[in-house]
């Protein structure tokens, strides 16, 4: 197998919406590829949850699955993502003192979460500001264990199973 997913794709309106139409078209094209090849979609949603949901409402079917990468939304958005059958990617941002993501993640069941690095960006505390790398995923997992009041082993087991199932990886 040569490919494990389609993406990172989606819509980014952080700076402006000048190229929104082009982003929507590219997103739809990549959704088509994900469906055609039965691969999960890795979605980048930056200041664009409503625009992405509009596209998914039109394009979603039972064959489409994926993960909302580097999730920074609210509980309502998380619930909508889960309703689509997608996973929620949690990275270093959850460890940032004033990000508030820890309060959101507390209300998301572990069965819907995948841990991620977003390397080389968004290194978790206590490595914040450094070049992120997979070895730092432990800090994100520890924070998730703290938030959910669970053992680190349970967090590692559940999130690993979630990722393996989504990307069809035998573990």
């Amino acid at each position: 197998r040569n490919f494990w997913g389609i993406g990172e794709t989606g819509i980014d309106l952080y700076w402006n919406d000048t190229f929104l139409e082009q982003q929507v078209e590219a997103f739809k094209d990549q959704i088509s590829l994900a469906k055609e090849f039965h691969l999960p979609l890795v979605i980048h949603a930056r200041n664009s949850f409503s625009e992405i949901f509009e596209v998914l409402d039109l394009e979603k079917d039972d064959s489409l699955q994926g993960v909302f990468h580097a999730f920074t939304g609210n509980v309502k958005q998380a619930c909508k993502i889960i309703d689509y059958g997608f996973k929620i990617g949690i990275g270093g941002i959850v460890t940032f003192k004033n990000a508030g993501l820890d309060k959101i993640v507390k209300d998301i069941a572990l069965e819907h979460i995948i841990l991620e690095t977003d390397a080389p960006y968004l290194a978790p505390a206590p490595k914040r500001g450094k070049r992120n790398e997979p070895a730092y995923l432990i800090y994100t997992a520890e924070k998730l264990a703290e938030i959910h009041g669970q053992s680190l082993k349970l967090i590692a087991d559940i999130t690993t199973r979630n990722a393996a199932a989504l990307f069809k990886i035998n573990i």
Side-chain angles (χ1 to χ4, degrees):
R1 184 163 156 191
N2 296 322
F3 300 96
W4 300 96
I6 302 292
E8 170 180 342
T9 184
I11 300 172
D12 189 324
L13 300 178
Y14 181 73
W15 298 107
N16 63 55
D17 64 358
T18 303
F19 296 103
L20 175 59
E21 187 177 318
Q22 292 88 342
Q23 290 187 66
V24 168
E25 288 308 309
F27 184 38
K28 287 180 178 178
D29 289 344
Q30 292 183 342
I31 289 171
S32 293
L33 287 171
K35 288 179 179 180
E36 179 181 348
F37 293 103
H38 307 286
L39 293 170
L41 199 60
V42 179
I43 297 177
H44 173 95
R46 193 163 184 204
N47 292 17
S48 59
F49 281 103
S50 61
E51 291 81 2
I52 287 173
F53 293 158
E54 283 179 31
V55 173
L56 287 179
D57 286 343
L58 297 172
E59 301 289 334
K60 180 71 177 103
D61 64 24
D62 290 342
S63 71
L64 189 63
Q65 55 184 328
V67 57
F68 272 66
H69 148 77
F71 179 76
T72 57
N74 59 41
V75 171
K76 184 177 179 184
Q77 292 162 335
C79 289
K80 189 154 178 88
I81 291 165
I82 292 165
D83 287 346
Y84 286 128
F86 277 62
K87 300 294 184 198
I88 297 173
I90 301 298
I93 295 171
V94 76
T95 69
F96 297 176
K97 187 176 180 181
N98 296 317
L101 188 58
D102 54 339
K103 293 170 185 62
I104 307 300
V105 169
K106 184 176 171 91
D107 291 330
I108 301 172
L110 293 172
E111 68 196 48
H112 304 297
I113 294 175
I114 291 176
L115 296 182
E116 60 180 17
T117 65
D118 199 25
Y121 307 108
L122 301 172
K127 303 294 185 178
R128 189 168 182 187
K130 297 187 184 321
R131 184 179 192 278
N132 202 357
E133 60 182 70
Y136 298 163
L137 194 62
I138 187 72
Y139 301 110
T140 304
E142 288 171 345
K143 182 66 176 183
L144 195 61
E146 174 191 318
I147 291 167
H148 278 270
Q150 300 292 336
S151 71
L152 180 59
K153 182 179 183 338
L154 181 72
I155 297 299
D157 289 347
I158 291 173
T159 58
T160 298
R161 274 196 317 267
N162 293 346
L166 179 62
F167 291 103
K168 298 175 183 75
I169 299 168
N170 293 325
I171 55 172

